[in-house]
Amino acid sequence: MNMLKNVRYPGAPGKGFAPRHWSLPAIGRGSLAMRRNTSAQAARDSILPKLCTKDRSDQWQLGILGDLHLAPEQMKLFEKARDQLRAAMADEDDVHKLSAGARVVQLGDLGHGKHQSGSRRCFEFARQYLESFGIPYALITGNHDLEGDEFETDEENLAAWSEVFQQPHYWAADLGHVRLVGLSTVRYRSNENSHHEVFISDDQVQWLEKQLADNPETPFVVLTHAPPMGCGLKVIQEVHIKNRCAWLNHSGRPNTFMDIVSRHRNIKLWFSGHFHLSHNYPDSISTVGRTAFVQVGVIGECNRDGMRQSRLLRGGPNGYQLFTVDHDTGTLRLDMAAQWDDQEAPTPIIPEEELLCDPDAGWLCSQIDCKVGDNSSGFITWYPVGYKTILALQAGGLLIEYDMSSAAPVGMVTRVPEGCSLVLLGANGQPAEQEDGADVAEIRVLEPNGELREAIPRNSSGAFFRIYQPNKWRLKRQQAAEASKKAAAEALVPA
C-alpha cells in the first residue's frame, strides 16, 4: 500500500491560522531544454523574496530542520515537532500568533526509503508538511532527494524538486542585515564513488564566492546538507568516513569550503545535518576561526542516539542566540550566543546532559573522533605515511586515514582484528625508514602468528584509504543492462 497517497495535513493549530485543504498545482514535466532554462533562470533569481524580512533592523527567528525522512506512520511526531517550533517562535505580545520574522528552513533528505524518497510524490508530501508551519520557508537538497526511481538523470530529479517547491536549489535571503545562503547537492547517479556523497557544483561555489566578495561587511549564515571537511563536527567514521560521503565534495577538492571560510571571516554560522546525530556532544558545535559549525539533529525515528532535536536561531541587528528544541520534552536549551561583529570565535555552552562515551556503543565513543595529535588517552596509535596524510589505528581496530592539512578523517583503510599488527614497508619490501613515513609504499596486516593477513598498497591518489561504497545506482544499471543483453542473446539461440 502506498501510504503517501492517502495522507494529507490539516492546518497547524493557532489563532488566525485557518485549516487549509491542500490543492497541489498541476506540474508539467516539460522538455529538457525548458529545465535547462529553468536552471539558468534560478541562478539569476537566487534571492528568495518570500524568506526576506522587510528591514535591516528587523528581529527574526529561524527554525532549522535537519534530515526529515518523512514517513506517514510517524506523522504524529512531525506534527508535534511543528507545533513546538511554532510555539517557540510565537509573538511576545500574543502567543497565539507567530512573530513577524518567523521563518523555517530545511536541510534536505525529505523522504523515507520505504516511501519513494526522491520522487515527485515525496516532494509534494514534504511540501504539504512544510506549508503546514504557516510561515515562509525554504530548503536545500540532500543526497536522498535525488534518488527518485522515476528519473533517469540527476538533472531531471533536481528539476522536479525545483518545480514542486518553486525555488532554485541554491539561493540567498536577507534576514535583517544578515544574509542566509543555501547550497544544494546536485549529484546522486553521477557521483564518482558513493551515490550518497553530497556534491556542491562549481557554479554554486563561484556564486557563493561572489556573494561574499560583494558583501564583505555582511554577516553570512550558510546551510548545506553535509558539513565541510575540516570543520571539526562529530562524524561517524564506520559509516560516513568508510563510505567517503561525510564531507561536502568528499571525493574531489573537499578543502574548497574551509578555504572559503578562511578567506571570508564574515561567515558566522554554518549549519548542516546528514549524520542523524543529536546536539548533545562536545563537537555538535565546533568553531574554526570566527565561524561556528552547527550540527542539526532529526525529528523522526531515524536518529542514531535516541534524541530528536531541531535548532532555533534568533537574530537581530546586534547578535544572535542559538537554541536546541528538544522534541521529546518540548523545551528550549540555549547552546550559544554571540554578537555579529565579534572578533573572536563564539563559545558554545556545553549542556549538563552531555552524552558520555559508552564503551558498548562503539562508534559513538570519543576514541573514534579523536583529533590528530591527541594520543593522551592511549586509544590511538599513529602511523606517519607522508606529509599529506597520517594513519590512526583506533582501539576498536579501525585504521582511519586523516588529512594533515585539515586534521579531518578522509577514509577507512581496513579493520585490524585484535591481536594483529601493522608493518609499514618501503618500495623495496623492507621496513620504511623515513621519520615522516614518506617512503611507505605498502601496509601489511599480520596475524598474531606473524602470517600475512592482507597487504594494502597506496591507491591511485597516493593515499591508503579504500573505496568501500562504489556508486550502487550505476552498478545496478550496469547489472540490469548486462542481464538484458544476456537474455536477448539467449533468446536468439534455437531451442
Side-chain angles (χ1 to χ4, degrees), residues 177 179 208-220 263-268 290 340:
H177 74 303
R179 177 145 293 189
L208 176 62
E209 290 264 27
K210 189 174 189 308
Q211 289 280 318
L212 291 162
D214 290 349
N215 302 278
E217 304 302 321
T218 299
F220 272 68
R263 289 185 285 106
H264 297 281
R265 296 190 173 187
N266 54 330
I267 299 178
K268 298 297 183 179
R290 299 177 187 174
W340 295 117

Side-chain angles (χ1 to χ4, degrees), residues 141-159:
T141 64
N143 47 296
H144 288 285
D145 295 321
L146 297 183
E147 64 182 10
D149 288 337
E150 67 206 75
F151 307 106
E152 286 298 316
T153 68
D154 294 332
E155 291 79 10
E156 291 176 351
N157 210 157
L158 186 61

Side-chain angles (χ1 to χ4, degrees), residues 122-401:
C122 165
F123 299 153
E124 292 170 347
F125 186 70
R127 189 180 75 172
Q128 292 177 17
Y129 175 67
L130 291 170
E131 287 188 349
S132 75
F133 280 80
I135 54 179
Y137 71 89
L139 63 166
I140 56 176
T141 64
N143 47 296
H144 288 285
D145 295 321
L146 297 183
E147 64 182 10
D149 288 337
E150 67 206 75
F151 307 106
E152 286 298 316
T153 68
D154 294 332
E155 291 79 10
E156 291 176 351
N157 210 157
L158 186 61
W161 180 94
S162 292
E163 289 167 355
V164 170
F165 292 106
Q166 293 293 291
Q167 65 155 84
H169 60 279
Y170 62 98
W171 47 266
D174 292 325
L175 304 179
H177 74 303
V178 175
R179 177 145 293 189
L180 178 69
V181 298
L183 306 174
S184 283
T185 185
V186 297
R187 287 184 183 176
Y188 182 82
R189 301 157 187 80
S190 57
N191 265 332
E192 179 183 351
N193 292 309
S194 173
H195 47 298
H196 288 304
E197 180 181 339
V198 178
F199 180 82
I200 307 299
S201 53
D202 287 345
D203 58 328
Q204 294 183 73
V205 173
Q206 294 165 7
W207 172 83
L208 176 62
E209 290 264 27
K210 189 174 189 308
Q211 289 280 318
L212 291 162
D214 290 349
N215 302 278
E217 304 302 321
T218 299
F220 272 68
V221 176
V222 181
L223 310 175
T224 54
H225 182 67
M229 188 178 83
C231 70
L233 286 179
K234 184 175 183 65
V235 62
I236 304 171
Q237 298 201 16
E238 201 167 1
V239 178
H240 299 100
I241 296 301
K242 177 181 179 180
N243 294 329
R244 285 181 56 77
C245 60
W247 315 120
L248 296 174
N249 299 21
H250 198 137
S251 292
R253 294 181 293 156
N255 289 311
T256 295
F257 303 95
M258 291 307 292
D259 176 61
I260 292 174
V261 170
S262 70
R263 289 185 285 106
H264 297 281
R265 296 190 173 187
N266 54 330
I267 299 178
K268 298 297 183 179
L269 293 162
W270 192 307
F271 291 88
S272 60
H274 193 45
F275 299 145
H276 297 202
L277 291 172
S278 74
H279 309 167
N280 288 39
Y281 300 95
D283 41 6
S284 295
I285 300 176
S286 61
T287 58
V288 178
R290 299 177 187 174
T291 305
F293 295 87
V294 184
Q295 168 72 28
V296 183
V298 299
I299 292 175
E301 295 176 356
C302 61
N303 61 80
R304 297 183 186 274
D305 50 24
M307 295 189 175
R308 301 185 305 108
Q309 297 167 329
S310 298
R311 298 283 188 182
L312 175 64
L313 182 63
R314 289 175 176 165
N318 297 320
Y320 65 85
Q321 292 179 312
L322 176 66
F323 297 86
T324 283
V325 182
D326 188 311
H327 295 306
D328 287 317
T329 64
T331 57
L332 289 182
R333 182 187 74 204
L334 179 64
D335 289 338
M336 190 167 62
Q339 300 295 301
W340 295 117
D341 60 359
D342 281 347
Q343 299 303 303
E344 303 295 330
T347 302
I349 301 169
I350 305 299
E352 294 181 0
E353 62 271 34
E354 190 84 53
L355 285 184
L356 299 177
C357 176
D358 177 3
D360 295 329
W363 51 267
L364 282 178
C365 295
S366 60
Q367 67 191 57
I368 299 299
D369 303 298
C370 193
K371 296 180 180 178
V372 170
D374 179 9
N375 57 7
S376 59
S377 65
F379 287 122
I380 306 291
T381 303
W382 296 99
Y383 294 89
V385 289
Y387 72 94
K388 289 186 177 180
T389 65
I390 189 170
L391 304 183
L393 179 59
Q394 299 165 351
L398 295 184
L399 185 61
I400 301 294
E401 190 160 20

